Amino acid sequence: MDILKINCEKVCAYLVSFLKEEVSKIGFNSVIFGLSGGLDSSLVAFLCKMAFGRNNTYGIILPYKDTPKESVDHAYLIGRTLGIRHLRFNITPQIDYYYKNFPQATKLRKGNKMARERMSILYDLSSHFKSLVVGTSNKSEIYLGYGTLHGDTAYDINPVADLYKTQIYQLSEYLKIPEEIRIKKPSAELWEGQTDEEELGFSYEVADKVLFYYFEKNMKQQDIMKEIKIDERTFLKIIERVKKYEFKRKPPLMAKIPDEIKY
């Protein structure tokens, strides 16, 4: 039996209830999120529609000029399929205007800027629509630090943060998210043509099992390698990445001044 197999019916019901209750506690009755055309944001769209209805669910499409047309098409597909409110804003003008000052900027730097620009727009629109910002980062991405601080890692509530990527696939199939979105290779799309697996250097299928056994079951390295039949290089690459990006999972550092100094 697959150790990461979930009870999709119960998980779905729990997450819908979680969204309703927690968003209501904060004093909101509608939500807003980035709708990228990828699997994670599509799943969040489905869950939010179930929790708040189509009129209280805002999916915002925020492409850059290099964003693949397929991704934009898939974002619109989700918007139309669910009948939720969906709007598109092109972030190309402000990104390109800013980087006229830094023609030497790397793709990574520009990609992080794009992620933060998107979140900045979501928070501005959240004020306009009086909606709470919903995150779309899954547990695999959070463990691996595969996200931009104050970009896609910034949100008010996240219903999928405790689901590994392989579990996102399970729930997406259960909810019948369009197949063309479920079968395409995942990509952060901070730049054109690179998949998550190519950037990370390993698959989510392998990473999820390593993360589960190592951090949740406290198994030893050799036992994990034997259990899931992976080489040491891949194992260490996954664990070292988690440790390298631990700072992304912590709140900002704030100085606590000792009383004998402060007073």
Side-chain angles (χ1 to χ4, degrees):
M1 179 179 177
D2 187 346
I3 48 103
L4 292 175
K5 184 174 178 59
I6 60 174
N7 185 321
C8 290
E9 182 179 0
K10 289 184 178 180
V11 168
C12 182
Y14 177 86
L15 293 178
V16 171
S17 177
F18 166 81
L19 283 167
K20 286 181 178 179
E21 292 177 13
E22 297 302 325
V23 171
S24 176
K25 284 180 187 177
I26 302 171
F28 289 80
N29 59 17
S30 67
V31 292
I32 190 168
F33 51 86
L35 188 57
S36 69
L39 192 62
D40 299 322
S41 72
S42 297
L43 175 57
V44 167
F46 269 67
L47 293 170
C48 289
K49 158 70 180 307
M50 294 169 70
F52 305 104
R54 66 186 186 87
N55 289 328
N56 292 318
T57 302
Y58 294 87
I60 310 301
I61 306 166
L62 297 164
Y64 179 65
K65 63 185 178 184
D66 290 339
T67 301
K69 180 179 181 299
E70 178 187 58
S71 297
V72 178
D73 290 344
H74 285 166
Y76 276 116
L77 173 61
I78 294 299
R80 292 193 303 269
T81 298
L82 295 175
I84 62 174
R85 299 179 185 272
H86 54 287
L87 302 169
R88 173 177 174 171
F89 298 94
N90 192 327
I91 66 169
T92 302
Q94 59 263 49
I95 295 297
D96 284 358
Y97 182 82
Y98 177 78
Y99 278 107
K100 283 181 181 179
N101 300 293
F102 306 102
Q104 78 283 11
T106 64
K107 290 192 296 183
L108 177 61
R109 179 177 164 186
K110 292 182 70 175
N112 285 329
K113 172 68 171 171
M114 290 177 211
R116 293 180 179 120
E117 180 63 29
R118 290 180 174 117
M119 191 54 68
S120 173
I121 291 171
L122 286 179
Y123 269 96
D124 178 68
L125 291 175
S126 76
S127 176
H128 177 73
F129 292 119
K130 297 178 173 58
S131 300
L132 203 67
V133 177
V134 182
T136 62
S137 297
N138 61 63
K139 194 171 191 174
S140 306
E141 293 170 336
I142 293 169
Y143 261 132
L144 296 167
Y146 196 48
T148 300
L149 277 176
H150 313 299
D152 48 326
T153 64
Y155 40 75
D156 299 314
I157 189 169
N158 186 339
V160 297
D162 195 36
L163 292 174
Y164 289 104
K165 185 71 172 186
T166 47
Q167 295 170 333
I168 295 284
Y169 279 105
Q170 294 175 49
L171 197 54
S172 297
E173 184 174 1
Y174 170 77
L175 290 174
K176 296 182 171 54
I177 288 176
E179 184 179 18
E180 54 262 56
I181 296 176
R182 287 190 282 111
I183 65 173
K184 70 178 179 180
K185 292 183 177 180
S187 170
E189 292 181 354
L190 295 182
W191 39 83
E192 190 175 6
Q194 190 170 42
T195 66
D196 289 358
E197 185 171 340
E198 289 171 338
E199 186 171 354
L200 290 169
F202 45 78
S203 69
Y204 282 118
E205 185 177 7
V206 170
D208 287 358
K209 291 178 181 178
V210 170
L211 295 171
F212 177 78
Y213 281 130
Y214 190 79
F215 291 102
E216 298 192 40
K217 295 301 180 182
N218 296 313
M219 284 177 58
K220 295 180 180 179
Q221 175 180 336
Q222 294 304 320
D223 294 332
I224 297 172
M225 290 170 54
K226 183 178 179 181
E227 178 70 25
I228 62 179
K229 297 178 175 57
I230 64 166
D231 59 89
E232 184 175 33
R233 179 178 174 275
T234 302
F235 176 88
L236 292 177
K237 190 170 188 177
I238 294 169
I239 299 303
E240 286 168 3
R241 182 178 176 101
V242 173
K243 293 178 179 178
K244 178 180 179 181
Y245 291 108
E246 183 179 5
F247 71 93
K248 290 188 177 184
R249 299 187 296 278
K250 293 182 176 181
L253 293 173
M254 295 181 282
K256 175 60 178 174
I257 307 170
D259 285 353
E260 61 269 24
I261 294 176
K262 190 173 185 180
Y263 303 105

